[in-house]
Amino acid sequence: MTQKKLYILLFICTIGSIGFISLLFAFTNKGPERDMSFKRGFLHDAPKKIHELDLEYNGYYIAGAYNNKIYLGNSQSPLYLITVDTTLDHKQEIRLAIDQDSLPLRSPQLRIIPPYFFLMDGTIPYILRGRTEDWKGYSMLENPFYFNQAQPIDSVTLAIRTISSKTKKFALGTIRFSDSTTLTLSHKLLKKQVDGIFDVDGTLQYNRQQQQLVYTYRYRNQYIVANDNLQTQLLGKTIDTISQTQIQVGTIVSKNQKKMSTPALMVNKSSSTSGNYLFVNSQILGKTESLILWEKSSVIDVYDIVNNRYEFSFYVENIGKNKLKTFYVMNDKFIGLIGNHMVIYQLGNRFKELQTPTVTVQNSNLIFQISKPKNNTGVPG
Amino acid sequence: MKINSKYKNILLEFICFLYILLFVYAALSKLLVFDEFKIQIGQSAMLTPFADVVAWVIPFLEILIALLLIIPRFKLLGLFAAFNLMVMFTTYIFVILNFSNDVPCSCGGVIEKLGWTEHLMFNIAFVILATVGILIKNGQNNNGYIITPKYAIS
């Protein structure tokens, strides 16, 4: 082969290989799933962004919000949190004190329901509780109860999702700290469609005004509203029509692991609940919705969980290339984290009226009797 | 000038050796955890429809190319095949990283530990190596084994 022919051949090979993969990508890249059977309603007077703050770090998550104060936890350093006013000034840093020397760092989660906070990691597991007056946390968990999502219901009860030792499937339940720690599970709330683990995945939230658990399935168009005793109050539907989970699960025999073996069709990525309402970040594009707008923003669907009704939707704009990562609704304020930024959207007047009730303090004497001896032997002060 | 061609031959053998090492290692580490590899291929939206075929074809191709590189007669063919496969892998990573929400699948063993940017660099380096190999090998073929290749461009 002459040098010239060789270069031509190399050139053809390069173009051919790049072209082949690019075509493969072009034909298999479907973009967002569009569901022609529903149409979102967007308000003329849509919620508007009223504040934006650069947090200069993207590792924060929303640990809670109460009385116009937003609490941000930090997954890399679990003992550090910041609070910001809903006007996004008065940033304050807080350092937690705990009754042990160090905490294993796997997936610590902080939840704040003033006057209490919980620092927990259900994969280790541990739960520390303390008061927001002094930010000192005391170990609460005497038995190793594992869980992978938890939301405080009140000062002595947590709503959790865990893998049931009985069925080996996900189940919702509560952990209650009274004279002894008790775990209650309901095997009826989550409905298995494929394997009882991946297909029932979703986001667990607690609505303190309604005193109800709200679990929004990630891969199907449903949410569950249950009371504190884990009885179903309402089975709601999100507006799309994906009622059947579209996932496939494969097993890796050598590692005894199960994994999703095809990309899953995600319906409801994340959720938050406040007052009568549930807010869901949906991944399904509706009829007549602009694809351009869809790529530049995230859509939030609002449902009335008292009357089981879809209300309206609104867009939360990307910041740069970053999409809405997580959000939290406190009455009429929608708080979102996007990349390094925190944004606040103002919701309409009807979201305003409800007052967040103060946390009911139950058995508090008892609890602090249990935890005080640990305090004395643990971190001084 | 003889020395020059001798060095080129050493370089060529070294490039082939690197490729054989890479492909045999990659193929074996895929086949050893085949069910896991198949799932990882399936998770990539681009490959889902062909997951079963792709999962078999890639390690098979890698071993085949390694064999071609070992047999002197097929060395040039092997280098071209290696070049093509490497360009495809590189394009795949580039496309997925830049235009898709997915994370690319799935390399075996220690190569998995590389970050995606490092991986891209690693692949591009191998593409360059294959190109150099092809140029040397073709020069040898054109000029017999020992004679210095002339860089005739016309």
Side-chain angles (χ1 to χ4, degrees), chain A residues 27-238:
Chain A
F27 281 112
T28 51
N29 184 32
K30 287 179 295 187
E33 189 82 11
R34 191 186 280 275
D35 187 338
M36 294 307 280
S37 59
F38 76 92
K39 211 171 157 179
R40 287 198 166 85
F42 291 94
L43 298 183
H44 194 66
D45 183 22
K48 281 194 183 58
K49 178 154 62 174
I50 50 169
H51 296 292
E52 181 179 324
L53 176 70
D54 188 354
L55 298 167
E56 289 156 9
Y57 174 65
N58 66 3
Y60 290 112
Y61 60 90
I62 304 168
Y66 182 75
N67 261 357
N68 295 325
K69 236 180 182 178
I70 302 161
Y71 299 86
L72 299 176
N74 180 327
S75 45
Q76 284 308 305
S77 57
L79 299 183
Y80 169 80
L81 73 148
I82 57 176
T83 69
V84 192
D85 286 355
T86 43
T87 50
L88 296 190
D89 39 44
H90 300 112
K91 192 165 138 188
Q92 192 191 345
E93 298 183 2
I94 294 167
R95 208 152 258 291
L96 301 182
I98 53 170
D99 62 351
Q100 39 201 275
D101 291 340
S102 66
L103 282 178
L105 186 79
R106 204 173 291 163
S107 58
Q109 284 287 313
L110 190 63
R111 289 290 178 275
I112 289 148
I113 48 163
Y116 290 95
F117 73 87
F118 289 88
L119 177 62
M120 47 208 171
D121 187 338
T123 62
I124 308 262
Y126 61 78
I127 298 174
L128 304 176
R129 192 190 67 172
R131 285 178 164 270
T132 54
E133 292 139 26
D134 56 2
W135 297 104
K136 282 178 192 154
Y138 305 105
S139 301
M140 301 287 288
L141 212 53
E142 276 128 21
N143 308 329
F145 291 141
Y146 292 89
F147 53 88
N148 42 36
Q149 279 193 43
Q151 300 289 352
I153 290 177
D154 55 42
S155 61
V156 291
T157 322
L158 292 169
I160 56 142
R161 189 191 69 182
T162 188
I163 292 180
S164 159
S165 54
K166 200 171 88 186
T167 59
K168 308 282 179 225
K169 314 271 181 250
F170 272 145
L172 297 181
T174 54
I175 292 178
R176 175 169 269 275
F177 308 104
S178 47
D179 24 348
S180 68
T181 313
T182 50
L183 174 73
T184 316
L185 286 187
S186 162
H187 294 100
K188 287 185 191 143
L189 286 171
L190 300 182
K191 297 273 187 272
K192 171 184 150 176
Q193 283 185 344
V194 181
D195 68 334
I197 299 278
F198 289 105
D199 65 318
V200 297
D201 192 19
T203 46
L204 175 65
Q205 305 292 347
Y206 187 72
N207 186 314
R208 283 170 48 212
Q209 291 85 10
Q210 306 293 335
Q211 306 198 339
Q212 285 172 328
L213 304 169
V214 184
Y215 188 84
T216 312
Y217 284 114
R218 189 160 275 151
Y219 300 110
R220 65 183 95 157
N221 66 346
Q222 284 163 27
Y223 60 88
I224 304 163
V225 181
N227 65 13
D228 292 355
N229 297 319
L230 303 171
Q231 284 149 340
T232 309
Q233 303 291 296
L234 171 76
L235 285 175
K237 278 208 178 344
T238 55

Side-chain angles (χ1 to χ4, degrees), chain A residues 1 13 17 253 255 260 263, chain B residues 35-36 42-43 48 84 138 142:
Chain A
M1 227 182 313
C13 282
S17 300
V253 183
K255 289 189 182 169
M260 286 208 252
Chain B
D35 47 0
E36 184 171 10
Q43 281 171 342
T48 305
N84 276 324
N138 190 56
N142 282 351

